[in-house]
């Protein structure tokens, strides 16, 4: 279905036929643009950036490339096409017709889920706003801005739902999405990870690999929702999300490749020598990985969650790829969980499957994360080194759920708090690690050039060469 670009707000939901909704969104639009100018990418607003814009939601038309100034990006409302045959795929109402309007009893809960999802989108733009100046190349700068404008559009997607289906409450929530800010002491973003600063590009790559991947799994869960407009919105968002994870995956891969080159040139694995040569030693890559992976695990919520059970029972939020499961009702199954025994050890608990849905989704996420780690390790192995990156245990450094605040080592073995405090600098980025990474962050804005701490990508964007002028400064 093609997108109407004639309207002030591009859309494929026939916005023009609903004047009240159109006016409400036109009222929100300048507030969004103000927010973008104030808290979106710092500077570069007049640069021409080689961006893709969605022109239709089918496989062919969703990515049209051209130079755009970011404030002129056509943010809009695009839902995947409606499937008139679609039925509720899980929970107590399995097999019934999906909802085009929200049943009154689920209004508050759905609003909460949509607001939580919506809150992460502008949060990530705020977190990344200082990275343009220190981009390692024009190619990378363009990717950053592509991610940023699409997160802006994902905010639009949630704001549309709030305005169209939640009346006045929804409009108020939409305003508040622009009032909370990442890291703000008084009005922080809702979920922990989205208040963590992203000051350097290694963190940016880790965030797009690990945190955007939480986005993938949460969007997949919401794409199963019985509330059809939410499902259709999230399905389309997922097509854009793939590129964000690609940026993280290839970014980390390129950091590793460059480090291996330096290790070869100097014939050493000594982190100090590697740092002195202006690269990022692999133990530091591991520490950044530990930080962002453990933070992102918290985004799935508690292992045992009555919220998750009722989302599932009521058909609001399913499991990612629900159709792959055999039993969509999940009332008779149990799930085994390893939890702290309160005595420095571990015990196994069995809980009803529906209460374990957060952990089921987290489990699928961990498997997906591991695929990238395997790929990066293959590069290290091929270069002839024995160092291996790995995902820490899901028990390590948790702030939400059964393991919140329980000290463990990265393998998940419970340890004493003192030992944890002594070792933490070996497991997470220390001040000196962060200082080293920051010392490498000098912007490289000359066409065809690349910072010395990262290898060039294998290929450019949309069949263009790597040294294409992806951002034209003025
Ligand atoms: N930080 O029963 P519980 C993305 C709250 S990322 C702070 O354990 P539940 C993106 C929780 O809200 C995807 N608070 O959890 C990526 C609840 O509070 P209320 C974002 C947390 O409800 C990169 C309380 O603790 N989408 O798109 O089963 C760039 C007890 O909750 C955290 C979604 O999250 C935390 N980490 O599940 C751009 C989907 N974790 O409600 C974008 C929508 C939990 O009692 N959200 N809490 O006040 C949800 O599905 C659920 O809210 C959660 C939590 C999965 C987050």
């Amino acid at each position: 279905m093609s997108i109407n670009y004639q309207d002030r707000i591009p859309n494929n939901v026939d916005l023009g036929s609903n004047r009240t909704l159109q006016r409400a969104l036109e009222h929100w639009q300048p507030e969004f643009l103000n927010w973008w100018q104030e808290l979106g990418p710092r500077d570069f607003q007049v640069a021409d950036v080689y961006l893709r814009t969605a022109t239709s939601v089918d496989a062919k038309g969703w990515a049209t490339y051209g130079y755009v100034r970011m404030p002129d990006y056509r943010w809009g409302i695009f839902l995947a096409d409606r499937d008139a045959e679609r039925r509720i795929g899980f929970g107590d109402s399995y097999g019934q017709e999906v909802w085009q309007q929200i049943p009154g009893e689920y209004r508050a809960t759905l609003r909460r889920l949509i607001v939580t999802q919506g809150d992460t989108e502008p949060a990530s733009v705020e977190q990344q706003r200082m990275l343009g100046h220190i981009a390692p190349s024009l190619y990378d700068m363009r990717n950053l801005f592509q991610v940023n404008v699409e997160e802006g559009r994902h905010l639009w997607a949630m704001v549309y739902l709030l305005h169209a289906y939640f009346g006045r409450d929804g409009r108020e929530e939409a305003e508040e999405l622009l009032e909370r800010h990442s890291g703000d002491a008084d009005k922080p973003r809702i979920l922990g990870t989205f208040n963590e600063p992203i000051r350097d590009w290694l963190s940016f790559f880790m965030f797009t690999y690990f945190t955007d991947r939480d986005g993938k799994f949460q969007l997949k869960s919401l794409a199963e929702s019985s509330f059809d407009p939410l499902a259709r919105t999230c399905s389309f968002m997922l097509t854009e999300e793939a590129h964000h994870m690609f940026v993280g995956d290839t970014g980390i891969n390129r950091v590793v490749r460059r480090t291996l080159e330096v290790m070869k040139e100097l014939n050493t694995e000594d982190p100090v020598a590697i740092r002195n040569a202006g690269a990022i030693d692999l133990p530091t890559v591991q520490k950044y990985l530990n930080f962002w992976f453990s933070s992102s695990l918290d985004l799935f919520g508690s292992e045992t969650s009555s919220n998750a059970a009722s989302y599932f029972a009521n058909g609001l939020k399913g499991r990612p790829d629900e159709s792959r499961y055999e039993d969509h009702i999940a009332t008779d199954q149990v799930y085994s969980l390893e939890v702290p025994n309160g005595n420095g050890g571990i015990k196994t608990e069995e809980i009803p499957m529906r209460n374990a849905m957060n952990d089921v989704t987290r489990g699928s996420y961990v498997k997906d994360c591991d695929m990238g780690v395997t790929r990066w390790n293959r590069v290290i192995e091929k270069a002839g080194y024995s160092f291996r990156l790995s995902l820490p245990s899901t028990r390590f450094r948790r702030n939400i759920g059964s393991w919140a605040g329980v000290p463990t080592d990265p393998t998940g073995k419970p340890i004493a708090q003192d030992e944890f405090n002594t070792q933490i600098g070996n497991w997470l980025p220390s001040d000196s690690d962060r200082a080293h990474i920051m010392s490498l962050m000098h912007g490289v804005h000359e066409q065809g050039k690349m910072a010395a701490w990262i290898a060039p990508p294998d290929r450019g964007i949309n069949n263009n060469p790597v040294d294409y002028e992806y951002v034209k400064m003025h």
Side-chain angles (χ1 to χ4, degrees), residues 399-416:
N399 287 305
I400 299 279
S402 327
W403 290 92
V406 178
T408 79
D409 70 8
T411 69
K413 187 175 122 217
I415 55 174

Side-chain angles (χ1 to χ4, degrees), residues 117-173:
Q117 176 63 48
D119 192 69
T120 63
E121 315 289 359
S124 68
V125 176
E126 293 169 352
Q127 285 171 292
Q128 296 163 13
R129 68 185 296 261
M130 305 303 277
L131 295 178
H133 280 288
I134 53 171
S137 69
L138 292 183
Y139 164 89
D140 290 289
M141 190 194 280
R142 175 260 167 221
N143 283 346
L144 166 72
F145 294 154
Q146 182 74 60
V147 168
N148 291 160
V149 292
E150 285 173 354
E151 299 302 3
R153 206 198 65 69
H154 293 179
L155 169 62
W156 268 96
M158 293 301 121
V159 165
Y160 163 70
L161 294 176
L162 290 170
H163 273 234
Y165 296 96
F166 293 90
R168 190 174 164 179
D169 302 356
R171 289 195 294 279
E172 283 171 8
E173 293 281 13

